[in-house]
Amino acid sequence: MHDPNCIFCKIIAGQIPSRKVYEDEEVFAFHDIHPWAPVHFLMVPKLHIPSMAQVHTGHEALLGRMMALAPRLALEQGCRPYPDGGFRIVANTGAEGGQEVHHLHIHVMGGPRPWLKG
Ligand code: AMP
Ligand code: ZN
């Protein structure tokens, strides 16, 4: 399921260029174009889910895989190990949650501080 007007669906399809971090059958990850932190990438399901607000029990395995993958990708992208390093995971949801792109995505941010935001 893809939304032809969705920028992240276009990135997943390779119709808009991105700096890819990871890809498998269900998940795509790429660097954020406006990073807030030295490491800042986005993890998205290939399935077009607009936000966390539309998540249901049928998505449990997919989201579980994404969360389990995040620590590995964070280390691969240069986040230092826990507990001195670490990373932040954010999923902005809806207008009041600060969501701008309506394809579910998890921000993974890390690296030495200070950061531009947060
Ligand atoms: P959010 O506010 O949580 O919806 O975050 C959307 C994020 O997508 C922002 O941090 C943007 O910088 C990022 N973004 C938007 N367009 C692109 C793009 N073409 N490539 C990479 N990141 C993007
Ligand atoms: Zn989409």
Side-chain angles (χ1 to χ4, degrees), residues 13-81:
Q15 293 162 358
I16 291 177
S18 70
R19 288 173 57 218
K20 184 161 89 174
V21 165
Y22 175 85
E23 179 173 14
D24 65 30
E25 319 75 54
E26 292 184 313
V27 179
F28 195 88
F30 55 101
H31 291 280
D32 196 293
I33 204 164
H34 294 128
W36 305 352
V39 177
H40 186 173
F41 62 90
L42 304 174
M43 300 180 69
V44 303
K46 288 189 172 177
L47 183 68
H48 180 87
I49 305 169
S51 80
M52 286 297 295
Q54 287 75 31
V55 165
H56 55 71
T57 51
H59 298 132
E60 280 173 1
L62 172 61
L63 290 190
R65 286 193 58 237
M66 289 173 66
M67 292 302 274
L69 187 58
R72 187 189 113 196
L73 298 186
L75 285 175
E76 286 177 7
Q77 292 307 313
C79 294
R80 292 191 305 127

Side-chain angles (χ1 to χ4, degrees), residues 6 9 48 103:
C6 169
C9 282
H48 180 87
H103 179 128

